[in-house]
Amino acid sequence: MSVPFLKILASAAVAVRCPASVEAFVPSLAGQQRPSSFSLSSTVSPAPKSIGSSAADDNGEDTKDINAANELDLDAEFDPEHMARDPSAEAAAARNRGKRNDKRKGEEDPSHQQQQHHENDIDLKKYKSIVEFNEELDKLAKRCLDNRPGGGEDVIGLAALAEGMLHRLQHLVRDADSEGDWAAVDHIIRPDVVTVNTVINAWSKAAYSLAEGRGRGTLQTTMDTNMMEINVYTPSDAASRAIAILKEMEMAYLRGETDIAPDTTSYNSVVDALAKSRGGDAATKARALVDRMIHLSNGGEDGKDGVVNGSAELWAKVSPDTVTYNSLLENLAHSPEGLDSALEILATLEEKYDETGDKRIKPNIRTVNQVINSYAKHSANLSTKGYYKTKEEVEEAWNLAEKARTLLDNMKQRYEETGDDDFKPDAATYTTCCDAYARVGTVEAAKRADELLEEMEQSKHVNPNFRTFTAVITAWAKAPGKRSAVRAEEILQKMEDLHARAVKSGKRHNAFNSVQPNARTYTSVINAWARSRDPTKPQRALKILKKMIDLSKGGDESATPTVYSYNAAIDACARCQGTGEQQVQALKIAFAINKALIAADGVEPNGSTFGNLIRCAQYLIPAGDERNSVCKAVFQSAIKAGQVDRGVLRALQAAADRSLFDEVAGVTVDKMGHVQYDAIPFEWRKHANTA
């Protein structure tokens, strides 16, 4: 992140030049003379004290930061086409997006491709065994998880590199075999099922990272992989690559072209990739894969034309197991029929296990966790209105959460009666149940989640982790109570205190038992303030965002703001319903946060970013030319970023005049004047997760 934007977010007062159109209506909106320098350091009140902060902190350190910000030249003219981007911000954005685009375009240029491979070539002959080669692939796959916020891995490039290494090795083997060079054949390493599974796993992890808003950093060499042909942009695209590799391995073995046979892990990795991608058709594809596993393991392809290896005996090792069904349940949780299917699968597994005693299909606590997750997700799907639900929908969501709680209690009783660890509720069980209550969106439900947290804190068998605390914070964030945001920040403060004491005592934590707040935790608190009625919520959101950046600068990478953090803070600005002056401040803070997002390393705006900015214009700028000008600038930037999804289009439709909508998005309007969201051009949506 460039220095000016670190200074901007170093205090609750942010200096930024708003659009000229925004400046024009400031007097009428705020009821005062427009200042000669439109700087938030002179017009925005200091952010309210956070819980536990002292007056000395606000009057001392914040004042120092404001003075430092005033020394910077932060009042450059606003460029509508680039949404207040200054050269340093534009350069940062170019580094994040341009390298991949340039590389992919360069794939069409043989000289460019040759140069890239020459500079980044990997000598596959250096690996002494396939085990050593597979270990190298596994390192790439783990990097595809990109679990270091701000780490800036290009997970698409990394997964493509792993696939390129596999293809290069396959070519070497084929060349050696065809040339009859027996000396080379004897010494060459040959890929096995672990090799292919690891590449599939790389794409699975890439899908997860992309779905989480990570993984679009510096491009890696992709060897012989044609990136234009792969055409991976979204999480669903990454999952599709995993499917393609599995299908290629499956068909090659069926035809007898290779002795590398897929196993259960091969299919499980792809089912998991679909679950992590969260694509709209993921559940359908996952169910088809599980049906395919059953078909193959029963010898369904045996005797068909061209099939050499089709017998049930050869395919017995692809029979679905508990891991398969757990991943299938994760997919189904995101589908409309997911809850009914989840309950049916759980009942079937329990029945089959009781009949056969086959431990491969024994349901365990992870199976139950996915069913509880289905309760939570089904609750979320009750209303297309999102946060605001009808009375009937709230009652049904409450009943679903109570059923999830009953399932948790049943597992507790079953564990106490049998002592079987497979039935022992873990942190994920409690956390998912808290999430089910969070989906209800009432104060009563938030209190129930709080009770589960307290139960865990007093339990001898399970301890809450940062995910549990975050789920409870989210429950309060969605509860429209007067003290909901305050309670959310109290829980955050408790997490910080517990973590500080653990560090002071030298107690070590891992990812499963740590209570250290991460970016998602802080973002949930920002969301709590965004949904509150506090007119100072833009400043409160900004102060939390500043804290995240400070923690990140201090070495806590887990607190590095994600695109969701920035989006939540912008959303807090859009929801500001204070005085005219407070709304002016909210608008300026929103565009300042957007500038900081553009300048941040490893993070890029997504569809929600642009949609939230358009909503800022809708709610904070009176209807007319000024609002239209800002909406047009934001929408054109969304087009350039390839992030125009349905949400962006709906936001523009609600905020802008129809004449402007027809001018900039008329291609999506049919002859009857209706907006067709499926008509969004590919170039507009190529980086958006619209699946």
Side-chain angles (χ1 to χ4, degrees):
M1 185 180 293
S2 60
V3 174
F5 296 107
L6 287 176
K7 292 296 184 181
I8 286 174
L9 292 177
S11 70
V14 182
V16 60
R17 175 70 103 176
C18 285
S21 57
V22 175
E23 291 188 18
F25 74 85
V26 169
S28 61
L29 189 62
Q32 61 181 14
Q33 290 283 331
R34 179 169 65 88
S36 57
S37 176
F38 207 55
S39 168
L40 284 178
S41 59
S42 61
T43 60
V44 176
S45 302
K49 299 175 187 177
S50 61
I51 296 173
S53 65
S54 65
D57 292 337
D58 286 338
N59 295 333
E61 189 63 31
D62 281 356
T63 301
K64 176 182 177 182
D65 289 336
I66 291 172
N67 291 336
N70 285 338
E71 295 175 359
L72 299 174
D73 180 16
L74 299 173
D75 287 321
E77 287 298 328
F78 178 79
D79 180 359
E81 184 178 359
H82 294 97
M83 286 198 315
R85 295 183 183 180
D86 70 0
S88 58
E90 189 68 29
R95 285 194 301 272
N96 287 338
R97 292 190 302 271
K99 291 184 178 179
R100 180 183 292 116
N101 293 336
D102 290 344
K103 169 65 179 179
R104 290 177 181 171
K105 291 177 181 177
E107 295 284 353
E108 301 173 351
D109 181 357
S111 61
H112 177 86
Q113 187 178 44
Q114 182 179 5
Q115 179 182 3
Q116 289 294 318
H117 290 164
H118 175 73
E119 293 175 355
N120 300 303
D121 202 7
I122 296 178
D123 183 11
L124 300 185
K125 295 181 180 179
K126 71 178 183 179
Y127 300 104
K128 299 178 181 178
S129 68
I130 192 59
V131 173
E132 186 177 332
F133 182 78
N134 290 344
E135 288 175 348
E136 188 71 25
L137 290 179
D138 188 55
K139 291 178 182 177
L140 292 174
K142 288 177 178 177
R143 287 177 61 189
C144 286
L145 196 57
D146 194 23
N147 54 7
R148 298 177 304 143
E153 296 280 20
D154 175 14
V155 298
I156 297 176
L158 287 168
L161 173 58
E163 185 174 345
M165 291 175 65
L166 169 62
H167 291 164
R168 176 69 67 83
L169 183 58
Q170 290 171 330
H171 291 158
L172 288 176
V173 171
R174 280 197 294 267
D175 290 346
D177 288 344
S178 62
E179 292 173 3
D181 186 352
W182 303 115
V185 170
D186 290 340
H187 291 89
I188 199 170
I189 61 173
R190 294 175 177 271
D192 56 18
V193 67
V194 176
T195 314
V196 184
N197 287 350
T198 306
V199 175
I200 292 174
N201 192 35
W203 282 116
S204 175
K205 286 179 166 56
Y208 177 67
S209 293
L210 294 171
E212 288 290 306
R214 305 191 303 264
R216 297 189 185 274
T218 304
L219 183 72
Q220 304 292 320
T221 171
T222 55
M223 300 187 72
D224 291 331
T225 305
N226 188 329
M227 295 298 288
M228 297 296 291
E229 181 179 322
I230 283 182
N231 201 29
V232 174
Y233 298 99
T234 69
S236 295
D237 293 339
S240 294
R241 281 310 303 167
I243 294 174
I245 296 169
L246 173 63
K247 186 174 182 62
E248 181 182 346
M249 176 169 57
E250 177 189 294
M251 296 306 297
Y253 183 68
L254 282 171
R255 293 192 296 258
E257 297 171 358
T258 178
D259 59 356
I260 302 177
D263 57 15
T264 303
T265 300
S266 310
Y267 289 87
N268 288 351
S269 294
V270 177
V271 176
D272 183 62
L274 288 165
K276 297 300 187 291
S277 73
R278 303 169 196 167
D281 59 351
T284 301
K285 291 179 178 179
R287 188 184 284 278
L289 275 173
V290 175
D291 290 343
R292 179 70 174 171
M293 295 173 72
I294 296 172
H295 172 79
L296 289 168
S297 61
N298 289 333
E301 293 296 307
D302 197 19
K304 291 187 176 181
D305 290 343
V307 173
V308 176
N309 299 319
S311 69
E313 181 181 357
L314 292 174
W315 288 93
K317 54 191 170 187
V318 303
S319 177
D321 58 12
T322 302
V323 175
T324 313
Y325 287 108
N326 289 350
S327 294
L328 175 60
L329 287 170
E330 186 178 355
N331 275 280
L332 291 171
H334 297 280
S335 65
E337 74 283 359
L339 179 58
D340 291 339
S341 298
L343 293 172
E344 180 182 350
I345 289 173
L346 176 61
T348 301
L349 288 176
E350 288 180 335
E351 182 181 350
K352 286 187 176 180
Y353 176 69
D354 290 340
E355 289 178 357
T356 65
D358 185 357
K359 292 185 178 181
R360 291 186 72 255
I361 57 171
K362 178 185 178 183
N364 54 31
I365 194 61
R366 290 185 176 85
T367 314
V368 174
N369 290 349
Q370 291 300 340
V371 176
I372 294 177
N373 186 41
S374 292
Y375 278 117
K377 294 296 190 295
H378 188 72
S379 175
N381 293 331
L382 287 176
S383 175
T384 57
K385 299 176 183 179
Y387 174 65
Y388 300 102
K389 295 185 174 121
T390 65
K391 181 180 179 180
E392 292 75 17
E393 289 168 345
V394 170
E395 289 178 354
E396 186 174 353
W398 171 263
N399 291 334
L400 290 169
E402 289 288 270
K403 289 179 180 179
R405 174 66 182 270
T406 299
L407 190 53
L408 165 62
D409 291 338
N410 290 342
M411 295 306 292
K412 285 164 52 181
Q413 181 179 352
R414 197 168 180 180
Y415 170 67
E416 291 171 359
E417 292 174 350
T418 65
D420 189 340
D421 284 341
D422 280 337
F423 303 135
K424 179 181 177 181
D426 57 16
T429 317
Y430 281 89
T431 300
T432 311
C433 199
C434 288
D435 182 50
Y437 281 114
R439 308 283 180 166
V440 181
T442 65
V443 172
E444 185 178 3
K447 289 180 179 178
R448 285 295 182 94
D450 236 335
E451 290 172 4
L452 285 174
L453 176 62
E454 183 178 355
E455 180 181 318
M456 293 181 72
E457 291 176 320
Q458 297 176 355
S459 173
K460 296 180 180 179
H461 302 297
V462 60
N463 294 315
N465 57 29
F466 70 93
R467 293 183 178 88
T468 317
F469 281 102
T470 301
V472 178
I473 288 174
T474 302
W476 283 109
K478 295 183 178 181
K482 292 182 178 180
R483 294 196 74 258
S484 294
V486 174
R487 177 57 184 152
E489 196 154 350
E490 286 175 349
I491 297 173
L492 172 63
Q493 185 67 59
K494 183 176 184 179
M495 293 177 70
E496 292 175 332
D497 293 343
L498 288 172
H499 176 66
R501 286 202 294 269
V503 172
K504 187 175 181 180
S505 66
K507 186 177 181 180
R508 297 178 62 87
H509 287 293
N510 57 39
F512 297 100
N513 62 19
S514 173
V515 295
Q516 181 180 9
N518 63 6
R520 182 169 293 182
T521 314
Y522 287 105
T523 301
S524 294
V525 179
I526 293 176
N527 280 324
W529 284 113
R531 289 168 174 155
S532 75
R533 295 184 179 181
D534 191 324
T536 64
K537 56 189 175 185
Q539 290 89 342
R540 290 185 180 275
L542 183 62
K543 189 163 188 176
I544 296 172
L545 191 62
K546 168 203 177 288
K547 186 175 190 177
M548 297 172 71
I549 293 175
D550 288 344
L551 288 169
S552 178
K553 288 170 59 181
D556 181 6
E557 292 186 341
S558 70
T560 303
T562 66
V563 65
Y564 303 109
S565 311
Y566 291 100
N567 289 349
I570 295 173
D571 181 48
C573 298
R575 292 171 181 257
C576 180
Q577 296 180 354
T579 64
E581 182 178 356
Q582 287 171 327
Q583 288 189 320
V584 170
Q585 295 169 0
L587 183 65
K588 292 185 288 186
I589 290 174
F591 276 89
I593 292 171
N594 180 61
K595 289 180 68 176
L597 166 58
I598 294 169
D601 291 333
V603 186
E604 292 183 23
N606 62 13
S608 294
T609 311
F610 297 108
N612 286 349
L613 287 169
I614 292 174
R615 278 185 283 275
C616 282
Q618 178 184 0
Y619 296 124
L620 303 177
I621 306 177
D625 293 340
E626 293 87 357
R627 183 197 290 181
N628 284 338
S629 176
V630 176
C631 288
K632 181 177 181 180
V634 175
F635 187 72
Q636 288 176 337
S637 291
I639 291 176
K640 290 181 180 179
Q643 290 286 0
V644 178
D645 56 19
R646 290 170 178 255
V648 175
L649 210 57
R650 288 193 182 104
L652 181 68
Q653 191 177 9
D657 292 346
R658 183 56 191 253
S659 59
L660 175 66
F661 186 89
D662 289 342
E663 175 190 341
V664 298
V667 68
T668 65
V669 180
D670 63 19
K671 294 181 180 179
M672 301 297 293
H674 300 143
V675 177
Q676 300 296 324
Y677 299 105
D678 293 337
I680 300 175
F682 173 74
E683 286 300 315
W684 291 17
R685 59 178 168 80
K686 64 182 180 181
H687 294 304
N689 188 22
T690 55

